[in-house]
Amino acid sequence: AGQQRLQAQDPHRVLQRGYAWVQAADGRPVVSVRTLRQGQAVRAVWADGSAQAEVLKVEPLLPTP
């Protein structure tokens, strides 16, 4: 059971389910939209490869009251 839980948390398995992660130009993961700026170069990574992209617009969610 422990091995299955560990495999379920493997980021590459998550990518195989159709998700992607985003990295800044320096390779650090982007963990919040608030760290991005218009025109910034980023890299999106999927299970089968990656793509270079440029942020066109940043749309943070409004904070909940």
Side-chain angles (χ1 to χ4, degrees):
Q3 181 69 14
Q4 285 179 323
R5 270 187 271 144
L6 187 59
Q7 287 178 348
Q9 295 178 1
D10 179 353
H12 292 98
R13 287 189 179 257
V14 174
L15 296 180
Q16 291 172 346
R17 294 196 312 256
Y19 292 92
W21 73 63
V22 179
Q23 297 175 327
D26 63 5
R28 290 183 297 155
V30 176
V31 296
S32 171
V33 70
R34 296 178 192 283
T35 65
L36 296 172
R37 67 184 187 289
Q38 187 174 343
Q40 180 177 354
V42 294
R43 179 176 175 239
V45 180
W46 290 269
D48 64 347
S50 65
Q52 300 295 321
E54 180 180 324
V55 176
L56 299 178
K57 187 176 182 181
V58 178
E59 298 177 341
L61 295 176
L62 296 175
T64 55

PDB file of all heavy atoms in Angstrom, residues 12-52:
ATOM      1  N   HIS A  12       5.603  12.603 -12.479  1.00  0.00           N
ATOM      2  CA  HIS A  12       5.519  12.134 -13.864  1.00  0.00           C
ATOM      3  C   HIS A  12       4.233  11.355 -14.102  1.00  0.00           C
ATOM      4  O   HIS A  12       3.657  11.414 -15.177  1.00  0.00           O
ATOM      5  CB  HIS A  12       6.756  11.303 -14.217  1.00  0.00           C
ATOM      6  CG  HIS A  12       7.988  12.146 -14.257  1.00  0.00           C
ATOM      7  ND1 HIS A  12       8.864  12.219 -13.197  1.00  0.00           N
ATOM      8  CD2 HIS A  12       8.463  12.985 -15.205  1.00  0.00           C
ATOM      9  CE1 HIS A  12       9.835  13.070 -13.497  1.00  0.00           C
ATOM     10  NE2 HIS A  12       9.622  13.551 -14.701  1.00  0.00           N
ATOM     11  N   ARG A  13       3.745  10.647 -13.106  1.00  0.00           N
ATOM     12  CA  ARG A  13       2.451   9.955 -13.235  1.00  0.00           C
ATOM     13  C   ARG A  13       1.317  10.967 -13.324  1.00  0.00           C
ATOM     14  O   ARG A  13       0.351  10.755 -14.037  1.00  0.00           O
ATOM     15  CB  ARG A  13       2.238   8.998 -12.075  1.00  0.00           C
ATOM     16  CG  ARG A  13       3.115   7.769 -12.184  1.00  0.00           C
ATOM     17  CD  ARG A  13       2.715   6.758 -11.125  1.00  0.00           C
ATOM     18  NE  ARG A  13       3.546   5.586 -11.252  1.00  0.00           N
ATOM     19  CZ  ARG A  13       3.143   4.447 -11.803  1.00  0.00           C
ATOM     20  NH1 ARG A  13       1.923   4.326 -12.262  1.00  0.00           N
ATOM     21  NH2 ARG A  13       3.973   3.426 -11.886  1.00  0.00           N
ATOM     22  N   VAL A  14       1.425  12.057 -12.589  1.00  0.00           N
ATOM     23  CA  VAL A  14       0.410  13.115 -12.671  1.00  0.00           C
ATOM     24  C   VAL A  14       0.386  13.679 -14.088  1.00  0.00           C
ATOM     25  O   VAL A  14      -0.681  13.885 -14.666  1.00  0.00           O
ATOM     26  CB  VAL A  14       0.688  14.223 -11.634  1.00  0.00           C
ATOM     27  CG1 VAL A  14      -0.265  15.399 -11.816  1.00  0.00           C
ATOM     28  CG2 VAL A  14       0.579  13.661 -10.219  1.00  0.00           C
ATOM     29  N   LEU A  15       1.550  13.894 -14.676  1.00  0.00           N
ATOM     30  CA  LEU A  15       1.616  14.425 -16.039  1.00  0.00           C
ATOM     31  C   LEU A  15       0.989  13.456 -17.032  1.00  0.00           C
ATOM     32  O   LEU A  15       0.367  13.884 -18.013  1.00  0.00           O
ATOM     33  CB  LEU A  15       3.070  14.704 -16.430  1.00  0.00           C
ATOM     34  CG  LEU A  15       3.783  15.775 -15.618  1.00  0.00           C
ATOM     35  CD1 LEU A  15       5.216  15.942 -16.112  1.00  0.00           C
ATOM     36  CD2 LEU A  15       3.046  17.086 -15.655  1.00  0.00           C
ATOM     37  N   GLN A  16       1.110  12.169 -16.798  1.00  0.00           N
ATOM     38  CA  GLN A  16       0.519  11.173 -17.689  1.00  0.00           C
ATOM     39  C   GLN A  16      -1.006  11.223 -17.666  1.00  0.00           C
ATOM     40  O   GLN A  16      -1.659  10.728 -18.579  1.00  0.00           O
ATOM     41  CB  GLN A  16       1.011   9.768 -17.325  1.00  0.00           C
ATOM     42  CG  GLN A  16       2.475   9.570 -17.648  1.00  0.00           C
ATOM     43  CD  GLN A  16       3.034   8.258 -17.115  1.00  0.00           C
ATOM     44  OE1 GLN A  16       2.416   7.597 -16.290  1.00  0.00           O
ATOM     45  NE2 GLN A  16       4.216   7.906 -17.581  1.00  0.00           N
ATOM     46  N   ARG A  17      -1.579  11.852 -16.659  1.00  0.00           N
ATOM     47  CA  ARG A  17      -3.037  11.986 -16.577  1.00  0.00           C
ATOM     48  C   ARG A  17      -3.517  13.256 -17.284  1.00  0.00           C
ATOM     49  O   ARG A  17      -4.694  13.597 -17.219  1.00  0.00           O
ATOM     50  CB  ARG A  17      -3.487  11.993 -15.123  1.00  0.00           C
ATOM     51  CG  ARG A  17      -3.239  10.660 -14.429  1.00  0.00           C
ATOM     52  CD  ARG A  17      -4.008  10.506 -13.124  1.00  0.00           C
ATOM     53  NE  ARG A  17      -3.912  11.636 -12.221  1.00  0.00           N
ATOM     54  CZ  ARG A  17      -3.157  11.664 -11.122  1.00  0.00           C
ATOM     55  NH1 ARG A  17      -2.410  10.613 -10.802  1.00  0.00           N
ATOM     56  NH2 ARG A  17      -3.147  12.711 -10.348  1.00  0.00           N
ATOM     57  N   GLY A  18      -2.629  13.975 -17.945  1.00  0.00           N
ATOM     58  CA  GLY A  18      -3.036  15.139 -18.717  1.00  0.00           C
ATOM     59  C   GLY A  18      -2.710  16.481 -18.104  1.00  0.00           C
ATOM     60  O   GLY A  18      -3.070  17.518 -18.644  1.00  0.00           O
ATOM     61  N   TYR A  19      -2.023  16.480 -17.004  1.00  0.00           N
ATOM     62  CA  TYR A  19      -1.633  17.735 -16.368  1.00  0.00           C
ATOM     63  C   TYR A  19      -0.282  18.209 -16.904  1.00  0.00           C
ATOM     64  O   TYR A  19       0.440  17.462 -17.547  1.00  0.00           O
ATOM     65  CB  TYR A  19      -1.541  17.559 -14.847  1.00  0.00           C
ATOM     66  CG  TYR A  19      -2.872  17.331 -14.193  1.00  0.00           C
ATOM     67  CD1 TYR A  19      -3.350  16.044 -13.992  1.00  0.00           C
ATOM     68  CD2 TYR A  19      -3.654  18.398 -13.784  1.00  0.00           C
ATOM     69  CE1 TYR A  19      -4.580  15.819 -13.403  1.00  0.00           C
ATOM     70  CE2 TYR A  19      -4.888  18.187 -13.189  1.00  0.00           C
ATOM     71  CZ  TYR A  19      -5.351  16.900 -13.001  1.00  0.00           C
ATOM     72  OH  TYR A  19      -6.560  16.691 -12.407  1.00  0.00           O
ATOM     73  N   ALA A  20       0.046  19.451 -16.607  1.00  0.00           N
ATOM     74  CA  ALA A  20       1.354  20.010 -16.958  1.00  0.00           C
ATOM     75  C   ALA A  20       1.846  20.819 -15.771  1.00  0.00           C
ATOM     76  O   ALA A  20       1.067  21.241 -14.930  1.00  0.00           O
ATOM     77  CB  ALA A  20       1.245  20.905 -18.185  1.00  0.00           C
ATOM     78  N   TRP A  21       3.150  21.019 -15.701  1.00  0.00           N
ATOM     79  CA  TRP A  21       3.681  21.964 -14.721  1.00  0.00           C
ATOM     80  C   TRP A  21       4.365  23.077 -15.480  1.00  0.00           C
ATOM     81  O   TRP A  21       4.756  22.923 -16.624  1.00  0.00           O
ATOM     82  CB  TRP A  21       4.569  21.309 -13.676  1.00  0.00           C
ATOM     83  CG  TRP A  21       5.938  20.847 -14.079  1.00  0.00           C
ATOM     84  CD1 TRP A  21       6.973  21.605 -14.522  1.00  0.00           C
ATOM     85  CD2 TRP A  21       6.422  19.508 -14.053  1.00  0.00           C
ATOM     86  NE1 TRP A  21       8.074  20.826 -14.760  1.00  0.00           N
ATOM     87  CE2 TRP A  21       7.757  19.537 -14.485  1.00  0.00           C
ATOM     88  CE3 TRP A  21       5.861  18.295 -13.686  1.00  0.00           C
ATOM     89  CZ2 TRP A  21       8.527  18.382 -14.569  1.00  0.00           C
ATOM     90  CZ3 TRP A  21       6.645  17.166 -13.779  1.00  0.00           C
ATOM     91  CH2 TRP A  21       7.950  17.223 -14.208  1.00  0.00           C
ATOM     92  N   VAL A  22       4.496  24.214 -14.831  1.00  0.00           N
ATOM     93  CA  VAL A  22       5.063  25.411 -15.464  1.00  0.00           C
ATOM     94  C   VAL A  22       6.311  25.821 -14.705  1.00  0.00           C
ATOM     95  O   VAL A  22       6.318  25.850 -13.479  1.00  0.00           O
ATOM     96  CB  VAL A  22       4.037  26.566 -15.480  1.00  0.00           C
ATOM     97  CG1 VAL A  22       4.634  27.812 -16.115  1.00  0.00           C
ATOM     98  CG2 VAL A  22       2.773  26.141 -16.226  1.00  0.00           C
ATOM     99  N   GLN A  23       7.358  26.133 -15.474  1.00  0.00           N
ATOM    100  CA  GLN A  23       8.622  26.568 -14.889  1.00  0.00           C
ATOM    101  C   GLN A  23       8.942  27.972 -15.382  1.00  0.00           C
ATOM    102  O   GLN A  23       8.661  28.321 -16.525  1.00  0.00           O
ATOM    103  CB  GLN A  23       9.762  25.656 -15.321  1.00  0.00           C
ATOM    104  CG  GLN A  23       9.648  24.236 -14.863  1.00  0.00           C
ATOM    105  CD  GLN A  23      10.748  23.366 -15.439  1.00  0.00           C
ATOM    106  OE1 GLN A  23      11.198  23.589 -16.557  1.00  0.00           O
ATOM    107  NE2 GLN A  23      11.172  22.371 -14.685  1.00  0.00           N
ATOM    108  N   ALA A  24       9.580  28.752 -14.522  1.00  0.00           N
ATOM    109  CA  ALA A  24      10.114  30.054 -14.923  1.00  0.00           C
ATOM    110  C   ALA A  24      11.361  29.808 -15.777  1.00  0.00           C
ATOM    111  O   ALA A  24      11.856  28.685 -15.870  1.00  0.00           O
ATOM    112  CB  ALA A  24      10.459  30.874 -13.682  1.00  0.00           C
ATOM    113  N   ALA A  25      11.877  30.841 -16.372  1.00  0.00           N
ATOM    114  CA  ALA A  25      13.049  30.725 -17.251  1.00  0.00           C
ATOM    115  C   ALA A  25      14.258  30.139 -16.526  1.00  0.00           C
ATOM    116  O   ALA A  25      15.084  29.468 -17.129  1.00  0.00           O
ATOM    117  CB  ALA A  25      13.399  32.091 -17.842  1.00  0.00           C
ATOM    118  N   ASP A  26      14.340  30.349 -15.214  1.00  0.00           N
ATOM    119  CA  ASP A  26      15.477  29.818 -14.440  1.00  0.00           C
ATOM    120  C   ASP A  26      15.261  28.374 -13.978  1.00  0.00           C
ATOM    121  O   ASP A  26      16.075  27.823 -13.259  1.00  0.00           O
ATOM    122  CB  ASP A  26      15.785  30.715 -13.248  1.00  0.00           C
ATOM    123  CG  ASP A  26      14.646  30.806 -12.247  1.00  0.00           C
ATOM    124  OD1 ASP A  26      13.626  30.097 -12.410  1.00  0.00           O
ATOM    125  OD2 ASP A  26      14.772  31.587 -11.290  1.00  0.00           O
ATOM    126  N   GLY A  27      14.139  27.761 -14.378  1.00  0.00           N
ATOM    127  CA  GLY A  27      13.868  26.374 -14.033  1.00  0.00           C
ATOM    128  C   GLY A  27      13.070  26.168 -12.758  1.00  0.00           C
ATOM    129  O   GLY A  27      12.643  25.063 -12.466  1.00  0.00           O
ATOM    130  N   ARG A  28      12.851  27.236 -11.993  1.00  0.00           N
ATOM    131  CA  ARG A  28      12.060  27.098 -10.767  1.00  0.00           C
ATOM    132  C   ARG A  28      10.585  26.926 -11.111  1.00  0.00           C
ATOM    133  O   ARG A  28      10.089  27.556 -12.044  1.00  0.00           O
ATOM    134  CB  ARG A  28      12.239  28.316  -9.860  1.00  0.00           C
ATOM    135  CG  ARG A  28      13.632  28.388  -9.243  1.00  0.00           C
ATOM    136  CD  ARG A  28      13.779  29.548  -8.306  1.00  0.00           C
ATOM    137  NE  ARG A  28      13.596  30.782  -9.086  1.00  0.00           N
ATOM    138  CZ  ARG A  28      13.191  31.939  -8.597  1.00  0.00           C
ATOM    139  NH1 ARG A  28      12.941  32.068  -7.327  1.00  0.00           N
ATOM    140  NH2 ARG A  28      13.057  32.994  -9.369  1.00  0.00           N
ATOM    141  N   PRO A  29       9.864  26.105 -10.356  1.00  0.00           N
ATOM    142  CA  PRO A  29       8.440  25.924 -10.645  1.00  0.00           C
ATOM    143  C   PRO A  29       7.652  27.197 -10.352  1.00  0.00           C
ATOM    144  O   PRO A  29       7.960  27.931  -9.415  1.00  0.00           O
ATOM    145  CB  PRO A  29       8.014  24.796  -9.703  1.00  0.00           C
ATOM    146  CG  PRO A  29       9.026  24.800  -8.606  1.00  0.00           C
ATOM    147  CD  PRO A  29      10.305  25.303  -9.213  1.00  0.00           C
ATOM    148  N   VAL A  30       6.654  27.449 -11.175  1.00  0.00           N
ATOM    149  CA  VAL A  30       5.739  28.565 -10.938  1.00  0.00           C
ATOM    150  C   VAL A  30       4.614  28.014 -10.068  1.00  0.00           C
ATOM    151  O   VAL A  30       3.848  27.167 -10.507  1.00  0.00           O
ATOM    152  CB  VAL A  30       5.178  29.126 -12.267  1.00  0.00           C
ATOM    153  CG1 VAL A  30       4.153  30.219 -11.995  1.00  0.00           C
ATOM    154  CG2 VAL A  30       6.306  29.645 -13.143  1.00  0.00           C
ATOM    155  N   VAL A  31       4.529  28.457  -8.833  1.00  0.00           N
ATOM    156  CA  VAL A  31       3.539  27.929  -7.900  1.00  0.00           C
ATOM    157  C   VAL A  31       2.391  28.892  -7.641  1.00  0.00           C
ATOM    158  O   VAL A  31       1.443  28.556  -6.946  1.00  0.00           O
ATOM    159  CB  VAL A  31       4.196  27.514  -6.558  1.00  0.00           C
ATOM    160  CG1 VAL A  31       5.184  26.375  -6.779  1.00  0.00           C
ATOM    161  CG2 VAL A  31       4.876  28.689  -5.898  1.00  0.00           C
ATOM    162  N   SER A  32       2.461  30.086  -8.219  1.00  0.00           N
ATOM    163  CA  SER A  32       1.390  31.063  -8.053  1.00  0.00           C
ATOM    164  C   SER A  32       1.339  31.972  -9.269  1.00  0.00           C
ATOM    165  O   SER A  32       2.374  32.431  -9.770  1.00  0.00           O
ATOM    166  CB  SER A  32       1.628  31.919  -6.805  1.00  0.00           C
ATOM    167  OG  SER A  32       0.710  32.992  -6.752  1.00  0.00           O
ATOM    168  N   VAL A  33       0.129  32.247  -9.728  1.00  0.00           N
ATOM    169  CA  VAL A  33      -0.052  33.167 -10.843  1.00  0.00           C
ATOM    170  C   VAL A  33       0.469  34.564 -10.475  1.00  0.00           C
ATOM    171  O   VAL A  33       0.899  35.327 -11.329  1.00  0.00           O
ATOM    172  CB  VAL A  33      -1.540  33.202 -11.282  1.00  0.00           C
ATOM    173  CG1 VAL A  33      -2.399  33.885 -10.222  1.00  0.00           C
ATOM    174  CG2 VAL A  33      -1.700  33.895 -12.615  1.00  0.00           C
ATOM    175  N   ARG A  34       0.471  34.870  -9.201  1.00  0.00           N
ATOM    176  CA  ARG A  34       0.904  36.196  -8.740  1.00  0.00           C
ATOM    177  C   ARG A  34       2.406  36.431  -8.928  1.00  0.00           C
ATOM    178  O   ARG A  34       2.879  37.544  -8.809  1.00  0.00           O
ATOM    179  CB  ARG A  34       0.501  36.401  -7.289  1.00  0.00           C
ATOM    180  CG  ARG A  34      -1.012  36.410  -7.120  1.00  0.00           C
ATOM    181  CD  ARG A  34      -1.428  36.556  -5.679  1.00  0.00           C
ATOM    182  NE  ARG A  34      -2.837  36.295  -5.493  1.00  0.00           N
ATOM    183  CZ  ARG A  34      -3.825  37.124  -5.791  1.00  0.00           C
ATOM    184  NH1 ARG A  34      -3.559  38.296  -6.318  1.00  0.00           N
ATOM    185  NH2 ARG A  34      -5.085  36.800  -5.575  1.00  0.00           N
ATOM    186  N   THR A  35       3.159  35.386  -9.224  1.00  0.00           N
ATOM    187  CA  THR A  35       4.591  35.552  -9.476  1.00  0.00           C
ATOM    188  C   THR A  35       4.889  35.806 -10.950  1.00  0.00           C
ATOM    189  O   THR A  35       6.036  36.063 -11.309  1.00  0.00           O
ATOM    190  CB  THR A  35       5.385  34.320  -9.020  1.00  0.00           C
ATOM    191  OG1 THR A  35       5.013  33.186  -9.803  1.00  0.00           O
ATOM    192  CG2 THR A  35       5.145  34.021  -7.543  1.00  0.00           C
ATOM    193  N   LEU A  36       3.852  35.728 -11.790  1.00  0.00           N
ATOM    194  CA  LEU A  36       4.036  35.923 -13.232  1.00  0.00           C
ATOM    195  C   LEU A  36       3.793  37.369 -13.625  1.00  0.00           C
ATOM    196  O   LEU A  36       3.090  38.111 -12.940  1.00  0.00           O
ATOM    197  CB  LEU A  36       3.063  35.030 -14.004  1.00  0.00           C
ATOM    198  CG  LEU A  36       3.259  33.531 -13.849  1.00  0.00           C
ATOM    199  CD1 LEU A  36       2.108  32.787 -14.499  1.00  0.00           C
ATOM    200  CD2 LEU A  36       4.588  33.109 -14.445  1.00  0.00           C
ATOM    201  N   ARG A  37       4.358  37.746 -14.776  1.00  0.00           N
ATOM    202  CA  ARG A  37       4.103  39.084 -15.323  1.00  0.00           C
ATOM    203  C   ARG A  37       3.910  38.953 -16.828  1.00  0.00           C
ATOM    204  O   ARG A  37       4.441  38.035 -17.466  1.00  0.00           O
ATOM    205  CB  ARG A  37       5.229  40.049 -14.987  1.00  0.00           C
ATOM    206  CG  ARG A  37       6.541  39.716 -15.649  1.00  0.00           C
ATOM    207  CD  ARG A  37       7.666  40.645 -15.197  1.00  0.00           C
ATOM    208  NE  ARG A  37       8.864  40.396 -15.968  1.00  0.00           N
ATOM    209  CZ  ARG A  37       9.633  39.326 -15.872  1.00  0.00           C
ATOM    210  NH1 ARG A  37       9.323  38.367 -15.031  1.00  0.00           N
ATOM    211  NH2 ARG A  37      10.701  39.185 -16.622  1.00  0.00           N
ATOM    212  N   GLN A  38       3.143  39.862 -17.381  1.00  0.00           N
ATOM    213  CA  GLN A  38       2.889  39.859 -18.825  1.00  0.00           C
ATOM    214  C   GLN A  38       4.214  39.933 -19.581  1.00  0.00           C
ATOM    215  O   GLN A  38       5.112  40.693 -19.226  1.00  0.00           O
ATOM    216  CB  GLN A  38       2.011  41.048 -19.197  1.00  0.00           C
ATOM    217  CG  GLN A  38       1.559  41.031 -20.625  1.00  0.00           C
ATOM    218  CD  GLN A  38       0.563  42.140 -20.922  1.00  0.00           C
ATOM    219  OE1 GLN A  38      -0.024  42.726 -20.018  1.00  0.00           O
ATOM    220  NE2 GLN A  38       0.377  42.432 -22.179  1.00  0.00           N
ATOM    221  N   GLY A  39       4.348  39.093 -20.608  1.00  0.00           N
ATOM    222  CA  GLY A  39       5.559  39.065 -21.414  1.00  0.00           C
ATOM    223  C   GLY A  39       6.631  38.120 -20.912  1.00  0.00           C
ATOM    224  O   GLY A  39       7.637  37.902 -21.589  1.00  0.00           O
ATOM    225  N   GLN A  40       6.438  37.535 -19.737  1.00  0.00           N
ATOM    226  CA  GLN A  40       7.436  36.633 -19.157  1.00  0.00           C
ATOM    227  C   GLN A  40       7.491  35.320 -19.938  1.00  0.00           C
ATOM    228  O   GLN A  40       6.468  34.771 -20.330  1.00  0.00           O
ATOM    229  CB  GLN A  40       7.081  36.353 -17.702  1.00  0.00           C
ATOM    230  CG  GLN A  40       8.043  35.437 -17.003  1.00  0.00           C
ATOM    231  CD  GLN A  40       7.675  35.242 -15.531  1.00  0.00           C
ATOM    232  OE1 GLN A  40       6.778  35.881 -15.019  1.00  0.00           O
ATOM    233  NE2 GLN A  40       8.372  34.358 -14.874  1.00  0.00           N
ATOM    234  N   ALA A  41       8.685  34.820 -20.153  1.00  0.00           N
ATOM    235  CA  ALA A  41       8.865  33.519 -20.794  1.00  0.00           C
ATOM    236  C   ALA A  41       8.746  32.423 -19.738  1.00  0.00           C
ATOM    237  O   ALA A  41       9.279  32.547 -18.642  1.00  0.00           O
ATOM    238  CB  ALA A  41      10.236  33.439 -21.464  1.00  0.00           C
ATOM    239  N   VAL A  42       8.015  31.367 -20.070  1.00  0.00           N
ATOM    240  CA  VAL A  42       7.863  30.214 -19.185  1.00  0.00           C
ATOM    241  C   VAL A  42       8.000  28.939 -20.015  1.00  0.00           C
ATOM    242  O   VAL A  42       7.986  28.973 -21.245  1.00  0.00           O
ATOM    243  CB  VAL A  42       6.498  30.215 -18.450  1.00  0.00           C
ATOM    244  CG1 VAL A  42       6.392  31.385 -17.488  1.00  0.00           C
ATOM    245  CG2 VAL A  42       5.347  30.203 -19.435  1.00  0.00           C
ATOM    246  N   ARG A  43       8.128  27.823 -19.314  1.00  0.00           N
ATOM    247  CA  ARG A  43       8.215  26.514 -19.966  1.00  0.00           C
ATOM    248  C   ARG A  43       7.140  25.624 -19.353  1.00  0.00           C
ATOM    249  O   ARG A  43       7.093  25.465 -18.128  1.00  0.00           O
ATOM    250  CB  ARG A  43       9.599  25.918 -19.723  1.00  0.00           C
ATOM    251  CG  ARG A  43       9.810  24.565 -20.327  1.00  0.00           C
ATOM    252  CD  ARG A  43      11.269  24.131 -20.094  1.00  0.00           C
ATOM    253  NE  ARG A  43      11.462  22.781 -20.568  1.00  0.00           N
ATOM    254  CZ  ARG A  43      11.875  21.763 -19.822  1.00  0.00           C
ATOM    255  NH1 ARG A  43      12.179  21.977 -18.552  1.00  0.00           N
ATOM    256  NH2 ARG A  43      12.015  20.568 -20.331  1.00  0.00           N
ATOM    257  N   ALA A  44       6.270  25.071 -20.186  1.00  0.00           N
ATOM    258  CA  ALA A  44       5.252  24.128 -19.733  1.00  0.00           C
ATOM    259  C   ALA A  44       5.753  22.719 -20.034  1.00  0.00           C
ATOM    260  O   ALA A  44       6.255  22.458 -21.128  1.00  0.00           O
ATOM    261  CB  ALA A  44       3.929  24.392 -20.442  1.00  0.00           C
ATOM    262  N   VAL A  45       5.627  21.823 -19.056  1.00  0.00           N
ATOM    263  CA  VAL A  45       6.143  20.463 -19.191  1.00  0.00           C
ATOM    264  C   VAL A  45       4.983  19.478 -19.068  1.00  0.00           C
ATOM    265  O   VAL A  45       4.225  19.519 -18.095  1.00  0.00           O
ATOM    266  CB  VAL A  45       7.197  20.165 -18.099  1.00  0.00           C
ATOM    267  CG1 VAL A  45       7.737  18.755 -18.241  1.00  0.00           C
ATOM    268  CG2 VAL A  45       8.328  21.185 -18.141  1.00  0.00           C
ATOM    269  N   TRP A  46       4.859  18.591 -20.055  1.00  0.00           N
ATOM    270  CA  TRP A  46       3.886  17.506 -20.055  1.00  0.00           C
ATOM    271  C   TRP A  46       4.637  16.186 -19.977  1.00  0.00           C
ATOM    272  O   TRP A  46       5.860  16.170 -20.020  1.00  0.00           O
ATOM    273  CB  TRP A  46       3.049  17.535 -21.330  1.00  0.00           C
ATOM    274  CG  TRP A  46       2.104  18.680 -21.411  1.00  0.00           C
ATOM    275  CD1 TRP A  46       0.812  18.709 -20.974  1.00  0.00           C
ATOM    276  CD2 TRP A  46       2.349  19.977 -21.959  1.00  0.00           C
ATOM    277  NE1 TRP A  46       0.256  19.941 -21.220  1.00  0.00           N
ATOM    278  CE2 TRP A  46       1.173  20.733 -21.820  1.00  0.00           C
ATOM    279  CE3 TRP A  46       3.466  20.573 -22.554  1.00  0.00           C
ATOM    280  CZ2 TRP A  46       1.078  22.050 -22.270  1.00  0.00           C
ATOM    281  CZ3 TRP A  46       3.367  21.874 -22.989  1.00  0.00           C
ATOM    282  CH2 TRP A  46       2.189  22.605 -22.840  1.00  0.00           C
ATOM    283  N   ALA A  47       3.916  15.088 -19.936  1.00  0.00           N
ATOM    284  CA  ALA A  47       4.540  13.772 -19.850  1.00  0.00           C
ATOM    285  C   ALA A  47       5.395  13.471 -21.073  1.00  0.00           C
ATOM    286  O   ALA A  47       6.408  12.786 -20.978  1.00  0.00           O
ATOM    287  CB  ALA A  47       3.475  12.688 -19.685  1.00  0.00           C
ATOM    288  N   ASP A  48       5.012  14.001 -22.238  1.00  0.00           N
ATOM    289  CA  ASP A  48       5.718  13.646 -23.471  1.00  0.00           C
ATOM    290  C   ASP A  48       6.577  14.764 -24.043  1.00  0.00           C
ATOM    291  O   ASP A  48       7.031  14.685 -25.175  1.00  0.00           O
ATOM    292  CB  ASP A  48       4.725  13.151 -24.529  1.00  0.00           C
ATOM    293  CG  ASP A  48       3.734  14.226 -24.953  1.00  0.00           C
ATOM    294  OD1 ASP A  48       3.643  15.281 -24.278  1.00  0.00           O
ATOM    295  OD2 ASP A  48       3.047  14.013 -25.963  1.00  0.00           O
ATOM    296  N   GLY A  49       6.811  15.823 -23.283  1.00  0.00           N
ATOM    297  CA  GLY A  49       7.675  16.897 -23.778  1.00  0.00           C
ATOM    298  C   GLY A  49       7.358  18.220 -23.115  1.00  0.00           C
ATOM    299  O   GLY A  49       6.678  18.278 -22.096  1.00  0.00           O
ATOM    300  N   SER A  50       7.848  19.280 -23.718  1.00  0.00           N
ATOM    301  CA  SER A  50       7.651  20.611 -23.142  1.00  0.00           C
ATOM    302  C   SER A  50       7.468  21.643 -24.248  1.00  0.00           C
ATOM    303  O   SER A  50       7.714  21.360 -25.420  1.00  0.00           O
ATOM    304  CB  SER A  50       8.843  20.994 -22.263  1.00  0.00           C
ATOM    305  OG  SER A  50      10.015  21.108 -23.052  1.00  0.00           O
ATOM    306  N   ALA A  51       7.038  22.834 -23.862  1.00  0.00           N
ATOM    307  CA  ALA A  51       6.861  23.934 -24.804  1.00  0.00           C
ATOM    308  C   ALA A  51       7.282  25.226 -24.133  1.00  0.00           C
ATOM    309  O   ALA A  51       7.027  25.437 -22.943  1.00  0.00           O
ATOM    310  CB  ALA A  51       5.399  24.034 -25.242  1.00  0.00           C
ATOM    311  N   GLN A  52       7.938  26.070 -24.888  1.00  0.00           N
ATOM    312  CA  GLN A  52       8.271  27.405 -24.415  1.00  0.00           C
ATOM    313  C   GLN A  52       7.059  28.289 -24.688  1.00  0.00           C
ATOM    314  O   GLN A  52       6.431  28.166 -25.731  1.00  0.00           O
ATOM    315  CB  GLN A  52       9.493  27.950 -25.155  1.00  0.00           C
ATOM    316  CG  GLN A  52      10.738  27.108 -24.994  1.00  0.00           C
ATOM    317  CD  GLN A  52      11.233  27.075 -23.563  1.00  0.00           C
ATOM    318  OE1 GLN A  52      11.215  28.055 -22.838  1.00  0.00           O
ATOM    319  NE2 GLN A  52      11.668  25.903 -23.133  1.00  0.00           N
TER     320      GLN A  52
END
